[in-house]
Amino acid sequence: MLLPSLFIHRAHSSASSFKTILKSFTTASPLKASIVDPFFFSPSYPKNHPSLVFNQSFSSLPPTLLETSPLAFLLKQPKPFRFPKTTHIMPNKAKQEAEERNIAAAAKCIAEHTFPPKLSGWDFYKSIGSPKYVVAPMVDQSELAWRILSRRYNADLCYTPMFNAKLFAKEEKYREEHWAGLKDGLGGGGPNDRPLVAQFCANDPEYLLQAALMVAPYCDAVDINLGCPQHIARRGHYGSFLMEDWPLIASLISTLHKHLPIPVTAKIRVFPEAEKTVAYAKMVVEAGAQILVVHGRLREMKGHLTGVADWEKIKLVQEAVGHLVPVIANGNILYHEDVDRCLEQTGCTGVMSAEGNLYNPAIFTPGHPESWRLAEEYLTICDELDTKIAYTRGHLFKIFRPSLTVHTDLRSELGLANSREEMWAVAQKLKERLIQDAEASRLAEESFEGRVDEQGFPILPHWVAQPYFRQPMPPQDQKKEQTEEVSGATSKRTADDSAHREDEEGVAPSGASIKAKKIKNKKVKVMSNLCRDAKCQNTFSAKCIHQRCKGCCRLHQRDLNSYTCDSHPMRAMLKQQQEEQKQELTKVSSEALGSVAMEGMSSSVALSEIASSDASKSERCTIL
């Protein structure tokens, strides 16, 4: 009996995990393959690799022998066999150990807390009230205070901000910062903050499960972020940058579905191809997602390239998996009227809003409330919950965005506010002005009903909450270029920003101290606290005493020859100035001591003269 011989030259350790595959080649067969590439069994093995060579012609072999051969699956392939692409193939032993750790962690969580029966799909959706209006997960923006405000205006379901699963599982400081009171058993906002879905970004199933088990007692489901398009998601390899790694996505979802005592959900973006989008959604549902949120934009659609979400692809996903799990649509929700249009066109069970909710937290209610009313209500909630100042300031800028474009003098004042008392003061000032504007408009009998802009969107008065429209990028052939001189004394931040612009805009790099750069002549975004330098469009630092950005502040300090800004210290120049002052002080002191010494010498001479005069007088008196 002839045994197959498989020769692997320069055997690599990566093939050790395929010992079971090699053992399977024990059936009698005259086949002999020579694999000269040690990475043949790795996922990255290229197609049509010339190193895969069969040493024997198979045309003369009996058909029955070919069919029963363990290498017959190779012969049936028109191209050399390649294992499916995956991020990581875990050895059986390591996989088993990870599985045991997951089982133990889940068992501990279930033993320490009480959970209701775990439901799936439509049963779970009905158990949380069949939510129709959903507030999206937003980093540093869908915090507890904002969720409470949104629920007051008809939001049925809220998501937490996105948390990094690895940091959440490993670092207590990160958990305390993003979920205060978690170690004391305080989950979110308690019963008033339900139903609640906690969202994580991750690329490691074990860390994801550890983090999810920590919040499971305090929320109704855990969501996996598969839609974040930002650069930080690219660097961290999570969010929408997992879209090509379906095995890893399936592993993340299935791990939670198997071990987590509450349901797992997922939020995805669409592919350019509708067929691939549907296949992707089916894979996510089959892996265990009990609710599917579909953002109808591509991964590349962000910032000025956001564009319009594709409701047609969302509809195709709903038709494909809607009978298994609820599908929630996300994208193009600017006004309350858009909610019903989206539900009608996509057939989804609910609508999720992100930016629309940020600029108008009452988007799920008809009408347009005054922005100052929303701001006062939000500030009251923040006072009760001691919300972070940065979160509060960011929300106020969005709520008051149309008003601050009119009353521009209050932008810097709001940007410099470092306490809620100062924010209350700015809000009250703006409230008084907006009430006056509304009254003046009423007296002038100005009507906004039925007014639309050139794009067909309603024109609303600046004192009511309304959506924000990003200005689209100009076409490539219409982009104008202009040059600007950049001083060699710019700060590190300015240099980093310039490098970032070069990477993003394709500007040629420059190495001279004074150089010309090509930049895009695009519309400058109105900033809340612009640098006081007339030629600078950066925002100034809140603690800068000169109200300038880092680079301009340092140049300004040079001009004044005064280096007193603690926010932008120039230690070398300050040290040099102190040395000069010290030398000058030493010089002055030495001159003063010299003058004192001269005065002392003069006094001693005068005293000696007086003494000699007295002696001569005494002699004369003696003679007489």
Side-chain angles (χ1 to χ4, degrees), residues 132-133 297 308-312 314-315 329-352 363-364 455-458 467 469:
K132 179 180 178 181
Y133 305 131
R297 292 185 174 91
V308 180
D310 191 344
W311 284 356
E312 188 60 33
I314 299 178
K315 180 181 179 181
N330 180 210
N332 297 353
I333 308 300
L334 301 176
Y335 303 94
H336 178 72
E337 294 75 16
D338 295 329
V339 174
D340 292 334
R341 288 198 310 110
C342 180
L343 293 175
E344 181 180 356
Q345 294 187 26
T346 63
C348 292
T349 58
V351 169
M352 174 179 284
I363 191 171
F364 294 132
Q455 297 178 349
F457 294 112
F469 298 95

Coordinates of all heavy atoms in Angstrom, one line a residue, residues 132-133 297 308-312 314-315 329-352 363-364 455-458 467 469:
K132 N -39.8 52.6 19.2 CA -39.9 53.2 17.8 C -38.9 54.3 17.6 O -38.3 54.4 16.6 CB -41.4 53.7 17.6 CG -41.6 54.3 16.3 CD -43.0 54.8 16.1 CE -43.3 55.5 14.8 NZ -44.7 56.0 14.7
Y133 N -38.7 55.1 18.7 CA -37.8 56.2 18.6 C -36.5 55.9 19.4 O -36.6 55.7 20.7 CB -38.4 57.5 19.1 CG -39.7 57.9 18.5 CD1 -40.9 58.2 19.2 CD2 -39.8 57.9 17.1 CE1 -42.1 58.5 18.6 CE2 -41.0 58.2 16.5 CZ -42.1 58.5 17.2 OH -43.3 58.9 16.6
R297 N -25.3 54.5 5.3 CA -24.2 55.2 4.7 C -23.0 54.3 4.6 O -22.8 53.3 5.4 CB -23.8 56.5 5.4 CG -24.8 57.6 5.4 CD -24.3 58.8 6.1 NE -25.3 59.9 5.9 CZ -26.2 60.2 6.7 NH1 -26.4 59.5 7.8 NH2 -27.0 61.3 6.5
V308 N -26.1 61.5 1.7 CA -27.4 61.0 2.0 C -27.4 59.5 2.3 O -26.8 58.8 1.5 CB -28.4 61.4 0.9 CG1 -29.8 60.9 1.2 CG2 -28.4 62.9 0.6
A309 N -28.1 59.1 3.3 CA -28.1 57.6 3.6 C -29.0 56.9 2.6 O -30.0 57.5 2.1 CB -28.7 57.4 5.0
D310 N -28.7 55.7 2.3 CA -29.4 54.9 1.3 C -30.5 54.1 2.0 O -30.3 53.0 2.5 CB -28.4 54.0 0.6 CG -29.1 53.3 -0.7 OD1 -30.3 53.4 -0.8 OD2 -28.3 52.8 -1.5
W311 N -31.8 54.6 2.0 CA -32.9 53.9 2.6 C -33.2 52.6 1.8 O -33.8 51.7 2.4 CB -34.1 54.8 2.7 CG -34.0 55.8 3.8 CD1 -33.0 55.9 4.7 CD2 -34.9 56.8 4.1 NE1 -33.2 57.0 5.6 CE2 -34.4 57.6 5.2 CE3 -36.1 57.3 3.5 CZ2 -35.1 58.6 5.8 CZ3 -36.8 58.4 4.1 CH2 -36.3 59.0 5.2
E312 N -32.9 52.6 0.5 CA -33.2 51.4 -0.3 C -32.5 50.2 0.2 O -33.0 49.1 0.3 CB -32.9 51.7 -1.7 CG -33.4 50.6 -2.7 CD -34.9 50.4 -2.6 OE1 -35.6 51.4 -2.4 OE2 -35.3 49.2 -2.8
I314 N -31.4 49.8 3.3 CA -32.0 49.4 4.6 C -33.2 48.6 4.3 O -33.5 47.6 5.0 CB -32.3 50.7 5.4 CG1 -31.0 51.5 5.6 CG2 -32.9 50.3 6.7 CD1 -31.2 52.8 6.4
K315 N -34.0 48.9 3.3 CA -35.2 48.2 3.0 C -34.9 46.8 2.6 O -35.6 45.8 3.0 CB -36.0 48.9 1.9 CG -37.3 48.2 1.5 CD -38.0 49.0 0.3 CE -39.2 48.3 -0.1 NZ -39.9 49.0 -1.2
A329 N -33.7 51.6 11.4 CA -33.1 52.4 10.4 C -32.4 53.6 11.0 O -32.8 54.2 12.0 CB -34.1 52.9 9.4
N330 N -31.2 54.0 10.4 CA -30.4 55.1 10.9 C -29.9 55.9 9.7 O -29.3 55.3 8.8 CB -29.3 54.6 11.8 CG -28.4 55.7 12.3 OD1 -27.2 55.5 12.5 ND2 -29.0 56.8 12.6
G331 N -30.2 57.2 9.7 CA -29.7 58.1 8.7 C -30.8 58.9 8.1 O -31.9 58.4 7.8
N332 N -30.5 60.2 7.8 CA -31.4 61.1 7.1 C -32.5 61.6 8.0 O -33.6 62.1 7.5 CB -32.0 60.5 5.8 CG -30.9 60.2 4.8 OD1 -29.8 60.6 4.9 ND2 -31.3 59.6 3.7
I333 N -32.4 61.5 9.3 CA -33.5 62.0 10.2 C -33.2 63.4 10.6 O -32.4 63.6 11.6 CB -33.7 61.0 11.4 CG1 -33.9 59.6 10.9 CG2 -34.9 61.5 12.2 CD1 -35.0 59.4 10.0
L334 N -33.7 64.4 10.0 CA -33.4 65.8 10.3 C -34.6 66.4 11.0 O -34.4 67.3 11.9 CB -33.1 66.5 9.0 CG -31.9 66.0 8.1 CD1 -31.8 66.8 6.8 CD2 -30.6 66.1 8.9
Y335 N -35.8 66.1 10.6 CA -37.0 66.7 11.2 C -37.9 65.5 11.7 O -37.7 64.4 11.3 CB -37.7 67.5 10.2 CG -36.9 68.7 9.6 CD1 -36.2 68.5 8.4 CD2 -36.8 69.9 10.3 CE1 -35.5 69.5 7.9 CE2 -36.0 70.9 9.7 CZ -35.4 70.7 8.5 OH -34.6 71.7 8.0
H336 N -38.9 65.9 12.5 CA -39.8 64.9 13.0 C -40.6 64.2 11.9 O -40.9 63.0 11.9 CB -40.8 65.5 14.0 CG -41.8 64.6 14.5 ND1 -41.5 63.6 15.5 CD2 -43.1 64.5 14.3 CE1 -42.6 62.9 15.7 NE2 -43.6 63.4 15.1
E337 N -40.8 65.0 10.8 CA -41.6 64.4 9.7 C -40.8 63.3 9.0 O -41.4 62.5 8.3 CB -41.9 65.5 8.7 CG -42.9 66.6 9.3 CD -42.3 67.5 10.2 OE1 -41.0 67.6 10.3 OE2 -43.0 68.2 11.0
D338 N -39.5 63.3 9.1 CA -38.6 62.3 8.4 C -38.8 61.0 9.1 O -38.5 59.9 8.4 CB -37.2 62.7 8.5 CG -36.9 64.0 7.7 OD1 -37.6 64.2 6.7 OD2 -36.0 64.8 8.1
V339 N -39.2 60.9 10.3 CA -39.4 59.6 11.0 C -40.4 58.7 10.3 O -40.1 57.6 10.0 CB -39.7 59.8 12.5 CG1 -40.0 58.5 13.2 CG2 -38.6 60.6 13.2
D340 N -41.6 59.3 10.1 CA -42.6 58.5 9.5 C -42.3 58.2 8.0 O -42.6 57.1 7.5 CB -44.0 59.3 9.5 CG -44.5 59.4 10.9 OD1 -44.2 58.5 11.8 OD2 -45.2 60.4 11.2
R341 N -41.6 59.1 7.3 CA -41.2 58.8 5.9 C -40.2 57.6 5.9 O -40.3 56.7 5.0 CB -40.6 60.0 5.3 CG -41.5 61.1 5.0 CD -40.9 62.1 4.0 NE -39.6 62.6 4.4 CZ -38.5 62.2 3.7 NH1 -38.5 61.4 2.7 NH2 -37.3 62.7 4.2
C342 N -39.3 57.6 6.8 CA -38.3 56.5 6.9 C -39.0 55.2 7.2 O -38.7 54.2 6.5 CB -37.3 56.8 7.9 SG -36.0 55.6 8.1
L343 N -39.9 55.2 8.2 CA -40.6 53.9 8.5 C -41.4 53.4 7.3 O -41.4 52.2 7.1 CB -41.5 54.1 9.7 CG -40.7 54.5 11.0 CD1 -41.8 54.8 12.1 CD2 -39.9 53.3 11.5
E344 N -42.0 54.3 6.6 CA -42.8 53.9 5.5 C -42.0 53.4 4.3 O -42.3 52.4 3.7 CB -43.7 55.1 5.0 CG -44.6 54.8 3.8 CD -45.4 56.0 3.4 OE1 -45.3 57.1 4.0 OE2 -46.1 55.9 2.4
Q345 N -40.8 54.0 4.0 CA -40.0 53.6 2.9 C -39.2 52.4 3.1 O -38.9 51.7 2.2 CB -39.2 54.8 2.4 CG -39.9 56.0 1.9 CD -39.0 57.0 1.3 OE1 -37.9 56.8 0.9 NE2 -39.5 58.3 1.3
T346 N -38.7 52.2 4.4 CA -37.9 51.1 4.7 C -38.6 49.9 5.2 O -38.1 48.8 5.1 CB -36.8 51.5 5.7 OG1 -37.4 51.9 6.9 CG2 -36.0 52.7 5.2
G347 N -39.8 50.1 5.8 CA -40.5 49.0 6.5 C -39.9 48.6 7.8 O -40.3 47.6 8.3
C348 N -39.0 49.4 8.4 CA -38.4 49.0 9.6 C -39.3 49.3 10.8 O -40.3 50.0 10.7 CB -37.1 49.9 9.8 SG -35.8 49.4 8.7
T349 N -38.9 48.7 11.9 CA -39.8 48.9 13.1 C -39.5 50.1 14.0 O -40.3 50.5 14.8 CB -39.6 47.6 14.0 OG1 -38.3 47.5 14.4 CG2 -40.1 46.4 13.3
G350 N -38.3 50.7 13.8 CA -37.9 51.8 14.5 C -36.9 52.7 13.8 O -36.4 52.3 12.7
V351 N -36.7 53.9 14.3 CA -35.8 54.8 13.7 C -34.8 55.3 14.7 O -35.2 55.7 15.9 CB -36.5 56.0 13.1 CG1 -35.6 57.2 12.7 CG2 -37.3 55.6 11.9
M352 N -33.5 55.4 14.4 CA -32.5 55.9 15.3 C -32.0 57.2 14.8 O -31.8 57.4 13.6 CB -31.3 54.9 15.4 CG -30.1 55.4 16.2 SD -28.8 54.2 16.3 CE -29.4 53.0 17.5
I363 N -36.6 66.0 18.8 CA -36.8 65.6 17.4 C -37.9 64.6 17.3 O -38.6 64.5 16.2 CB -35.5 65.1 16.7 CG1 -35.8 65.0 15.2 CG2 -35.1 63.8 17.3 CD1 -34.5 64.7 14.4
F364 N -38.2 63.8 18.3 CA -39.2 62.8 18.3 C -40.6 63.3 18.7 O -41.5 62.5 18.9 CB -38.8 61.6 19.2 CG -37.6 60.8 18.7 CD1 -36.6 60.5 19.6 CD2 -37.5 60.5 17.4 CE1 -35.5 59.9 19.1 CE2 -36.4 59.8 16.9 CZ -35.3 59.5 17.8
Q455 N -32.6 74.2 -1.4 CA -32.6 72.7 -1.4 C -33.9 72.1 -1.0 O -34.0 70.9 -0.9 CB -31.4 72.2 -0.5 CG -30.0 72.6 -1.0 CD -29.0 72.1 0.0 OE1 -29.3 71.7 1.1 NE2 -27.7 72.2 -0.4
G456 N -34.8 73.0 -0.6 CA -36.2 72.5 -0.3 C -36.4 72.3 1.2 O -37.4 71.8 1.6
F457 N -35.4 72.6 2.0 CA -35.5 72.5 3.5 C -36.2 73.7 4.1 O -36.0 74.8 3.6 CB -34.1 72.3 4.1 CG -33.4 71.0 3.7 CD1 -32.3 71.0 2.9 CD2 -33.9 69.8 4.1 CE1 -31.6 69.9 2.6 CE2 -33.3 68.6 3.8 CZ -32.2 68.6 3.0
P458 N -36.9 73.5 5.2 CA -37.7 74.6 5.8 C -36.7 75.6 6.3 O -35.6 75.3 6.9 CB -38.5 73.9 6.9 CG -38.5 72.5 6.5 CD -37.3 72.2 5.8
P467 N -32.0 71.4 12.7 CA -30.9 70.5 12.3 C -29.7 71.4 11.7 O -29.9 72.5 11.4 CB -31.4 69.6 11.3 CG -32.6 70.4 10.7 CD -33.2 71.2 11.8
F469 N -26.8 71.5 8.8 CA -26.4 71.0 7.5 C -24.9 71.3 7.3 O -24.5 72.4 7.2 CB -27.3 71.6 6.4 CG -28.7 71.3 6.6 CD1 -29.6 72.2 7.2 CD2 -29.3 70.2 6.1 CE1 -30.9 72.0 7.4 CE2 -30.6 69.9 6.3 CZ -31.4 70.8 6.9

